[in-house]
Each structure stands twice: as structure tokens, then as C-alpha cells.
Amino acid sequence: MLLLTALPKDAQLTGTLLTQAGIPWCACNSLSSLCAELGRGVGAALVTEEVLQHPEVACLPPALAVQPAWSEIPFIVLTRAGRPSTAETREALEVLGNVTLLERPVGMPTLLSAVQAALRARRHQYGIREHLEEQARLLEEIRRADQAKDNFLAMLAHELRNPLAPILTTSTLLQARAQHDPALERHRALIERQARNMSRLVEDLLDVSRITRGKVILRKETVDFAEVAAHALDAAGAFIEARGHRLHVSGLSGPLPVDADAVRLEQVVLNLVVNAAKYTDPGGDIWITLGREADHAVLTVRDTGAGIPPDLLPHVFDLFIQAERTVDRAQGGLGIGLTTARHLVEMHRGTIGAFSAGLGRGSEFTVRLPLGAGGVMDNAKVPRQEGPGGSGPQLPQDTTRVLVVDDNQDAAETVAEMVECWGYEVAVAHSGPAALRAVTEHQPGIVLLDIGMPGMDGYEVARRLRVTPESREAVLVALTGYGHEEHRRLSREAGFDYHLVKPVEPEELKALLSRTPQL
């Protein structure tokens, strides 16, 4: 307890009372010394009204302003009986904030009760501080755990993408031979289908993590919702056909302009269509309807599938939520496609809803997005996602030679074999130092370079290739399992021209390599 009174004997008298009550106290001889003590930590302060009229009162506002958010030091002010407070005193009382006024003369029991009440209030404030510190500690632990989860997911994706890449590349290489052997073609197609399913699960898991944490940035422009939906149906076509569904489409003749990120909007439609196909028994019906209602574009995806039980319907967009599976309904998936769709729609200032009459009675999902550009397309085009991550440079004219660099031997050899089938001269290296030696001997126009290699990683290799005369002008393509935006940024900074994520679509890689005719 801090004490500052006009007369020293008043402070001593009060101090005696506090000592008898077991309350530590300290007498201050000036406002400046009281302000200094406030900064060291204090339970409460008792001052007389005359003290607040001293010029030194100017030190109080800055001394109190540095208090943390949880702190408000209690003040007990002894006022003069029967006399109105001066303007200076009233101003000082406003600065103090947490004030109890006691009119003199005050009885000792009353004074002691006021002091004890002030100290109880102060102890409560310190309790709040401890609670806030505990909350901050828990939030920091959550942040660290979240960061660890992100790092784990990135590494998991990398480790899963690496074996998927040579599997899909081998499937492509087998395609020509399988055309003459129906049994081999069935087996090849099965391998490709399952590998693509695995790749989609990996991408979905990473995507929902990024989206729910607000790590996805939309690149909006006026696009045709009808054309976006058509692209999504093209992408889902093979899956729908494999399930033997009948697809009924209306309203995709367009144009229906919306302000959207075309790639992410296509992802929404694709998730809804695949969800309908997955949870509808083979040979079912799926209706895709797109139209205009007032100032909104409305997409509806309806099916004759498994339906949604009433207790699950309010939670169908929650993360990892699925209806109970049975042996005869093991459709697979992680229960994250609808979560991703909801977040993306909301990021576009739209709404998404679900309806079902119950189990076995189908489902209906409706997306509403505000119409964009006043309902006028202005010849807007739907931008297609560029796998390389940007338009990139025009390929140089000597791109008949390609260097493939990957520490995973299977991945390197299968990519090299595929590129050779396209008529390129290919060299292979399995480490950073080997790649630096190979560019001198092979002098490639294009380098397909893995990032996650031991010893010298792909970033360091790229930086060195950019200062090596034989590879300074080569097109550097990151062919990697790392697909996070941070990895793409690091790729650009290291000197890469493109960033392709494994398993890369063969046609996408072929298109990149063939942008300039070979010599």
C-alpha cells in the first residue's frame, strides 16, 4: 500500500493501522516518488486531496498510462469535509480512474475496510493477469502445434507425391503397349486410377488446411460461371462415367458473369459433382443446373444418392464429417470436400446450402454467388490454371536437350524415359553436384529439377545454375513434391522459371517442353 498525505504524521498514523492489519505499506514523500513506486508494482495507493493540487500531479498520467490492459491501480482519496473539490482535483481524479473517495474525518474501521476492498480488487486484477498469461501460453502452444501440423502435412505430401510420380509416369509409358493387350490396359488403367485417387486425397488434405487457416488468396476477375462449371464437369467426366451415372445438365450455355477466382470456383463445382457421384449408387442420376435469380448466379447439384440423415444435415459442411459408413457403403474420402467448398464460396461472398429428404432419398446442394460486372461479361475469359505457376519465359530455341535431376532414381528414370519418347535428348543426375557436372557436359536447354534432395537441395542447385555459363539461359523447372505457396516463392527467388508439383500430368509437362519447336 502506498501512502502520500499532506502531513507526514497522517501517513504514520495510517501506516500503524495497516501494520496492525498485516498490510505492507510504504510512505512516499512526493508525487514523483509515488509515481516511481507505481512502476515497481503496487496493491493500491492512498493520497489526500491536497496532494492532487500540487504541480507534480503532471507525473501521474504518464505513470498510469504504461499499465498493461489488465491493470487499473485502485486509489483511495481522502477529501476535505464540506468543501467542493477544485478543478485541478477533479481533473486528477479523472486521470486516476479507479478511485474511492472518503470524506475526512474518517473512522479507522471505515478506512481499513476501504483499503482491504481496494487490495481485494487488485488481487482480482492479478488473477486476471495470470489467466491472460495462461491463455497466451496456450495460444502459443496451439500456434506451435498448428505450425508443426503444417510442416508435417507439407512433408507428408512431399513423401507421398514422390512415389506417386513414378507410378503415374510408368502408367503413361505403358499406355502405348497396353493398347495391344486388353488385359494389360485394364491393369494399367487400374493403377492410374488408384494413383490419381491417392494424389487427389493428398491435395484435398493440404487444400483444406490452407483454406481454413486463411492462407489462400483469391485472384478474382469477371469470369463466366457457365464456362467454369463446364470445365469442372469435364474434369469429373471420367469419374462419373466410371460410376455409370446419367448426367443431366442445363443452363451452361451462359454467359453468367461472376467476380471470382476461376480456378477456385471450378474446385467448388468439381467437389460438389464428385461428391454427388461418389455417394450415388452406380447407374444413378445427377442434375447440374445453373441459372440466374435476381442479382445472383445459382448453381444446383442434385442426385439420387444415399441422402443425408436429418441429424447430420446441419453439420454436413463441418470438417471431417461424414455419414456413418457401412461395409456396403465404403465410398472413401476424408470428409473435407464440402468443407473446402463452403470456405471457398464464402470467400467469394456467396452462400452454399444442403438439402436432403433423408437417407436413400438423394441430396441437393445450392451455391449462390453475386453477379459481377453489372451482369455484363465485357468479353471476359475464364483464365485456366497454369500448372507451371505463371506464364514464364518463352523457351529458348535449343530445347532438344533436357536434364532430369532427382535423387529418387525411379522418379528420375521414368520421367527421362517419358521425355525421350517425345523426341528429346535426355540426361539424368541424382544429386546436386552431379547436376552441376552434367550441365557442362550436356548443356541442356531445360532442366527438370527436384527440390527436396539431400546435401545440396534444388534451390541451391538452381542458384548455381544461374551463374554457370552453360546453364545461365536454361529454363529451370521445379519438379517437386513441395507445392505450398512458400515453396513457390522460394523457387522464384532461387531462379526457377516454373514450379510443377508431383505427380505432374504428362500432357502438362509435354505442353511446356513443346512451346518452342525443336531444332
Side-chain angles (χ1 to χ4, degrees):
M1 192 74 189
L2 298 183
L3 306 178
L4 178 56
T5 59
L7 299 175
K9 66 177 184 179
D10 291 338
Q12 290 299 322
L13 182 61
T14 303
T16 300
L17 175 67
L18 297 180
T19 299
Q20 291 172 352
I23 299 173
W25 59 280
C26 172
C28 301
N29 56 21
S30 67
L31 272 169
S32 58
S33 64
L34 182 136
C35 289
E37 290 295 335
L38 292 178
R40 297 188 181 99
V42 62
L46 182 148
V47 299
T48 57
E49 183 178 2
E50 295 85 354
V51 169
L52 299 180
Q53 299 170 3
H54 194 279
E56 276 190 344
V57 76
C59 73
L60 276 174
L64 296 174
V66 297
Q67 294 182 96
W70 57 266
S71 175
E72 189 176 29
I73 298 172
F75 277 83
I76 299 173
V77 179
L78 303 181
T79 64
R80 294 172 291 188
R83 297 184 185 180
S85 299
T86 65
E88 293 82 1
T89 301
R90 290 193 297 271
E91 185 177 340
L93 292 175
E94 290 180 5
V95 170
L96 296 179
N98 187 5
V99 177
T100 298
L101 298 178
L102 294 180
E103 197 173 80
R104 293 176 291 186
V106 58
M108 290 296 103
T110 301
L111 179 59
L112 182 58
S113 176
V115 169
Q116 291 171 333
L119 293 177
R120 281 196 300 271
R122 186 61 167 161
R123 279 192 291 271
H124 180 65
Q125 291 178 22
Y126 274 93
I128 292 175
R129 182 192 69 172
E130 293 173 0
H131 175 72
L132 292 175
E133 289 175 347
E134 176 66 12
Q135 292 298 309
R137 184 186 65 79
L138 292 175
L139 288 174
E140 177 61 19
E141 289 182 1
I142 292 172
R143 188 196 65 78
R144 290 178 181 176
D146 191 56
Q147 183 62 48
K149 178 203 70 177
D150 291 343
N151 294 339
F152 170 78
L153 287 176
M155 185 57 64
L156 175 66
H158 178 263
E159 293 304 316
L160 290 176
R161 284 165 174 160
N162 270 336
L164 284 171
I167 291 172
L168 284 172
T169 304
T170 300
S171 172
T172 300
L173 292 171
L174 287 173
Q175 194 165 16
R177 298 179 184 179
Q179 290 175 353
H180 307 292
D181 186 336
L184 180 59
E185 170 56 22
R186 286 197 303 273
H187 296 152
R188 185 207 66 79
L190 184 149
I191 291 172
E192 179 175 346
R193 261 195 324 272
Q194 296 306 319
R196 292 191 185 281
N197 285 342
M198 185 68 175
S199 177
R200 178 178 56 80
L201 290 175
V202 172
E203 295 305 320
D204 284 350
L205 187 60
L206 286 173
D207 228 12
V208 76
S209 176
R210 291 192 292 262
I211 291 171
T212 54
R213 290 182 297 110
K215 299 294 185 180
V216 170
I217 299 175
L218 298 182
R219 295 173 174 84
K220 290 185 179 181
E221 56 184 310
T222 301
V223 299
D224 184 358
F225 199 169
E227 191 170 349
V228 171
H231 287 311
L233 291 180
D234 287 343
F239 185 64
I240 294 173
E241 184 178 348
R243 300 277 294 173
H245 296 318
R246 292 177 294 274
L247 189 63
H248 312 274
V249 179
S250 61
L252 298 194
S253 56
L256 200 60
V258 291
D259 292 330
D261 182 320
V263 173
R264 291 300 182 179
L265 184 55
E266 181 179 327
Q267 183 178 359
V268 170
V269 180
L270 181 61
N271 282 6
L272 294 179
V273 173
V274 169
N275 184 76
K278 184 189 300 181
Y279 290 98
T280 299
D281 287 337
D285 290 278
I286 300 174
W287 290 267
I288 313 295
T289 305
L290 185 64
R292 183 191 304 248
E293 291 183 7
D295 56 352
H296 281 74
V298 181
L299 172 79
T300 302
V301 179
R302 181 166 61 92
D303 60 64
T304 57
I308 306 170
D311 60 329
L312 179 62
L313 194 57
H315 308 287
V316 72
F317 294 105
D318 294 349
L319 187 59
F320 302 129
I321 292 294
Q322 288 184 319
E324 183 177 353
R325 299 184 187 185
T326 59
V327 173
D328 64 331
R329 289 196 181 277
Q331 293 92 345
L334 298 173
I336 59 181
L338 294 180
T339 303
T340 300
R342 181 192 65 183
H343 280 282
L344 288 175
V345 169
E346 290 175 350
M347 289 173 68
H348 283 87
R349 297 184 298 109
T351 61
I352 183 170
F355 170 78
S356 175
L359 285 175
R361 304 182 67 178
S363 305
E364 181 176 312
F365 291 87
T366 303
V367 174
R368 286 181 169 82
L369 293 181
L371 288 172
V376 181
M377 280 300 298
D378 292 332
N379 297 320
K381 301 293 184 180
V382 175
R384 305 302 298 141
Q385 183 178 23
E386 298 184 35
S391 57
Q394 292 296 319
L395 299 184
Q397 296 299 309
D398 59 348
T399 54
T400 54
R401 293 188 295 276
V402 178
L403 174 63
V404 179
V405 186
D406 199 319
D407 64 302
N408 184 317
Q409 187 168 345
D410 289 341
E413 297 297 338
T414 52
V415 169
E417 185 177 348
M418 182 172 64
V419 173
E420 281 181 334
C421 289
W422 297 335
Y424 294 86
E425 181 184 338
V426 184
V428 176
H430 298 300
S431 68
L436 297 177
R437 292 192 297 270
V439 296
T440 302
E441 302 168 4
H442 191 62
Q443 297 187 3
I446 301 176
V447 179
L448 305 179
L449 176 57
D450 186 31
I451 288 178
M453 297 186 296
M456 185 186 300
D457 64 23
Y459 299 129
E460 179 60 25
V461 175
R463 284 189 285 268
R464 297 196 184 191
L465 292 179
R466 282 299 178 221
V467 297
T468 301
E470 293 83 0
S471 57
R472 184 181 296 120
E473 301 301 324
V475 174
L476 303 186
V477 182
L479 194 58
T480 174
Y482 293 118
H484 193 274
E485 184 59 36
E486 176 67 9
H487 299 127
R488 296 178 184 273
R489 181 185 65 81
L490 292 173
S491 292
R492 291 191 294 269
E493 293 177 353
F496 281 99
D497 299 299
Y498 297 97
H499 189 111
L500 299 180
V501 178
K502 297 177 182 177
V504 64
E505 291 291 338
E507 291 303 316
E508 183 180 10
L509 181 59
K510 186 177 182 180
L512 188 155
L513 296 177
S514 61
R515 284 180 60 195
T516 297
Q518 299 178 27
L519 296 178

